[in-house]
Amino acid sequence: MFCEKATELVRELCRASDGQLPAFNEDGIRQVLEEMKALYEQNQIDVNEAKSGHSELITTIKFRHCSLLRNRRCIVAYLYDRLLRLRALRWEYGSVLPNAVRFHMSADEVLWFNQYKKSLATYMRSLGGGDGLDLTQDIKPPKNLYIEVRCLKDYGEFEIDDGTTILLKKNSQHFLPRWKCEQLIRQGVLEHILS
Amino acid sequence: MRAAGLAEEPAPALPGQWKAGRRLGTLRRRRGCSKASWRAGVLEVVMAQAYAPVEAALGPVEHFLSLADILTLNGRGRNWLLRAGPNWRGAASCVVPGQRQAGPRLCPEGLSGPTGNCTACIEAESPTDTGSELEIPLWLAKGLYDKRRVLSVELPKIYKESWRTVFNADANVVDLHKLGPYYYGFGSQLLNFDSPENMELAQSILQTFIGRFRHIMDSSQNTFNEDTSALVTRLDELERALFQTGQKGLHDFQCWEMGQAAQITVSSLIQNYKKRKFTDMDS
């Protein structure tokens, strides 16, 4: 059946439904594009024949045309959904993605991601009367400016805004400014302790 | 090192909420879960919030970019039947092997080999090809269906009268995932083909949902930190999403009640990545 490959692409994304980014299936896309090219060429031949009176070809042409449209839709949806996932990663991980994710991106996606980062940064800088506002901070309303955290792994030295450096060692506990460590908590380096 | 001094959130004042919360609280104690494992269970359910896929549109119109809609339209199922109408000949006559050597031939079974001996091909080749029945996916049927009556569509078995009676009797006992798995989406797409049974079909789908909704809502609101796979297996994809939404609401409420709503937690997306890294290393 035509469009099997394209549907397989979509199904691949659906399987990773929790928002993870599977590896970019370049081979699959190429195969779909080849199929589309063959369909298109075949259709062109038949269209010319249909013009010269073979009206019984119309159904065939329509059949191929449906397949073309279907392939196009699958690919567009595949690429679009990946962009949604990439956008989510920017909000979860911050601006630097881990290697495991970056290897799964295509060159164009890397470009898109960088531009998204840039426009998001520009927008956040323009907020708050020119001072800038980090929108990824304080996703949950803060109760206190300082929070208590526990290290879950050896992270190394960490500098807070008054200039002092602290050593984030596994199982050590610290009392830190919330805005400094929110990102690290979301990344799983620190754990937020409620008293 | 100072004590954090974070005050616990006050217990909710509304009596109804309090009651529900206490019921679940006793549930936790009775099951002997520690608070830590309790919390771990909570974490697992909270889905990646930053990523929200394009939702499926329900009804005769579909959403172009929705992955679920694309898969719905792919459904042909074992029961999806299409009766080629009087004008189908046009399509059939050009499937005859040998007429086109280069490129893929038109064949409902797809790009078959040079022999082209799939059943659909042979059927279509024969001169009496009008009225032959083909099984094709819904997106193709939708594309080919037009005023020229190239094909007439027969409803799949589970949307026919006999199954509708079953759904009417008790929709709760049916395993929609096995029959579907996109029962509602597929059914409402079928309304595009002006079949005389459209009215009954739409009614039946709606009634099925109404009949099953209560059970789904109850089970998703009252299963906390338990294995839900048994509850979910018989649900259609749409119902599964509904179930997950209910579970998430329940967990968020529980978090708030235990004073954890203000806690910053690990992003579940990142957590899943970490889990996968482990499996990669193992293999």
Side-chain angles (χ1 to χ4, degrees), chain B residues 143-158:
Chain B
L144 289 178
Y145 187 81
D146 61 1
K147 287 182 248 67
R148 291 172 59 241
R149 298 273 162 225
V150 175
L151 32 99
S152 65
V153 171
E154 194 169 298
L155 292 181
K157 199 172 75 193
I158 56 164

Side-chain angles (χ1 to χ4, degrees), chain A residues 60 62-63 73 92 187 192, chain B residues 62 94 106 146 267 274:
Chain A
T60 323
K62 212 167 167 199
F63 172 83
R73 180 177 171 189
E92 299 279 340
Q187 287 173 8
H192 183 185
Chain B
E62 40 186 309
C94 51
L106 168 67
D146 61 1
S267 149
K274 293 221 170 87

Side-chain angles (χ1 to χ4, degrees), chain B residues 73-86:
Chain B
L73 280 184
N74 200 44
R76 57 169 135 191
R78 297 159 291 279
N79 317 311
W80 169 237
L81 205 66
L82 172 145
R83 214 177 283 283

